[in-house]
Amino acid sequence: MDKIELIAPCHFGLEAVLKREIQALGYEISSTEDGRVSFYGDLSAVCRANIFLRTAERVLLKAGEFKAETFDELFEKTREIPWENYIPENGKFWVAKAASVKSKLFSPSDIQSIMKKAIVRRLQSSYHKEWFEEDGASYPLRVFLKKDMVTVGIDTSGISLHKRGYREVSGKAPITETLAAALIMLTPWRGDRILVDPFCGSGTFPIEAAMMAADIAPGMNRSFTAEDWTNLLPKKMWYEAVDEAESRIKANIETDIQGYDIDGDVIRIARRNAREAGVDHLIHFQERNVRDLRHSGKYGFIITNPPYGERLEDKKDLPQLYRTFGESFAGLDTWSAYMITSYEDAQRYFGRKADKNRKIYNGMLKTYFYQFLGPKPPKKNNSRMDGC
């Protein structure tokens, strides 16, 4: 298998960010669709994509794609896929998820059952066995049907990639690590610039930013389903990918990344999470109200996920909270602010219309990524004068 195609699902609306990440790893994009990006690579791309991609939800090995309008077609075309190239004789396999959009076949349970039977039939023929113990490595399948086109992927990740391994305990209304990373990448922020999150909760924005600044790969401290696929991926490939990740870490950088929250218990959780991620020395967390938001530096960034009234009784406090946030930001006259929220009146009470506004789905929740842009910092003069 010299060349394979991989599928990386992501948050709707953030495909361009993931596409840039994949290209930066050196891989060729094969297609971009709503909520996923596909690309070509060799088998080592499975390891590198899982370890390095910050904005992908998981990495799927594409096993096949075909059109099916009836369950008979689904069965026969699933059986035509050379499953013996992927699943060993003792492999455990099942259709973990089936999703259907604008297709004649729409029952997930029926799709899952029929495809499982078709794979069994294929493997019975290939391995000349009637019964499989399925006591070996796991090969969970994920299937997408869109306009009767069936795309079949084998999940190499297992637990979603937003589970970096540093956040066992979350604060209230957490934002996922993959979404936080993608939103930071939508801004011009870089590791040598100031970043403050005045509603940091369990610390996801500051931690993801610090990991980017130090070039710490997000998948370094977790495991993946495909690590057990020794029939496809030698352990050496995983060791090489981890070695590459370790060689890229910038150990001696300095940053100005800060996280504030009014809840002291949540700040303690954020500090613990930062320690687990190995970036606690790069972040300053503090119990602080948003009305006390201030900084002596210029041209900084606020990137945050403020409360948006998940519970009905909280909604009455939102106008004053956003008003206070806007007033504090107004005092930072050279700064830029970026906030993700589902609160429809955010701009009204913030006191300023966003320069840019991007609709993003956080799970099933429609949110907006408001961008309030400050002036660009003056360019640094790198020229040197003789005699100085």
Side-chain angles (χ1 to χ4, degrees), residues 98-318:
S100 178
V101 178
K102 298 180 181 176
S103 297
K104 294 179 179 66
L105 304 179
F106 56 84
S107 167
S109 59
D110 288 336
I111 293 165
Q112 290 168 301
S113 174
I114 286 166
M115 292 188 73
K116 168 78 177 187
K117 290 175 183 175
I119 298 167
V120 168
R121 192 70 58 84
R122 172 80 188 205
L123 294 180
Q124 283 174 334
S125 175
S126 299
Y127 292 126
H128 307 292
K129 289 185 68 173
E130 286 300 312
W131 178 258
F132 297 97
E133 294 292 339
E134 296 194 45
D135 56 358
S138 295
Y139 297 78
L141 310 181
R142 289 184 168 247
V143 183
F144 311 95
L145 283 80
K146 185 175 181 182
K147 295 181 179 177
D148 301 320
M149 287 300 299
V150 183
T151 304
V152 187
I154 311 175
D155 184 6
T156 73
S157 304
I159 297 171
S160 173
L161 293 181
H162 81 265
K163 300 278 190 180
R164 313 287 205 219
Y166 67 74
R167 193 176 76 172
E168 291 183 18
V169 182
S170 297
K172 47 195 181 218
I175 190 168
T176 66
E177 294 86 335
T178 46
L179 179 55
L183 295 178
I184 294 169
M185 289 181 185
L186 282 175
T187 78
W189 180 82
R190 296 296 177 266
D192 59 347
R193 305 283 294 277
I194 304 164
L195 187 150
V196 175
D197 180 356
F199 303 98
C200 73
S202 56
T204 310
F205 273 126
I207 292 170
E208 289 294 318
M211 290 176 71
M212 288 181 201
D215 204 0
I216 297 173
M220 280 189 66
N221 297 312
R222 55 158 288 169
S223 59
F224 309 96
T225 295
E227 287 182 62
D228 295 326
W229 296 1
T230 51
N231 62 315
L232 291 174
L233 300 166
K235 288 288 185 184
K236 183 185 176 188
M237 284 187 180
W238 291 100
Y239 297 145
E240 289 172 346
V242 170
D243 287 345
E244 179 188 354
E246 289 178 344
S247 72
R248 286 171 50 165
I249 296 175
K250 301 170 185 173
N252 299 315
I253 64 164
E254 293 183 2
T255 61
D256 189 346
I257 300 172
Q258 303 185 30
Y260 309 142
D261 201 282
I262 197 172
D263 187 334
D265 291 335
V266 167
I267 287 293
R268 282 186 281 277
I269 291 170
R271 289 188 180 122
R272 178 205 166 279
N273 290 342
R275 283 195 300 273
E276 289 294 317
V279 293
D280 52 312
H281 62 296
L282 298 176
I283 308 170
H284 172 68
F285 286 111
Q286 186 178 358
E287 183 180 341
R288 185 188 287 196
N289 194 299
V290 70
R291 68 170 173 265
D292 300 319
L293 172 61
R294 59 181 64 91
H295 197 291
S296 59
K298 299 288 188 182
Y299 306 105
F301 288 77
I302 293 170
I303 306 178
T304 192
N305 173 38
Y308 29 93
E310 295 79 20
R311 297 177 302 176
L312 193 61
E313 59 267 29
D314 295 335
K315 290 190 181 294
K316 67 181 187 332
D317 299 325
L318 293 182

Side-chain angles (χ1 to χ4, degrees), residues 13-14 183 186 337-348 352-361 366-373:
L14 296 173
L183 295 178
L186 282 175
Y338 300 81
M339 67 170 160
I340 181 171
T341 179
S342 67
Y343 183 44
E344 298 284 351
D345 291 325
Q347 293 178 99
R348 173 186 170 192
R352 175 175 163 182
K353 182 174 172 55
D355 298 288
K356 293 183 180 179
N357 179 12
R358 194 181 187 115
K359 186 191 298 181
I360 293 167
Y361 280 88
K366 182 174 71 174
T367 62
Y368 299 91
F369 190 47
Y370 294 110
Q371 304 170 50
F372 304 92
L373 307 180

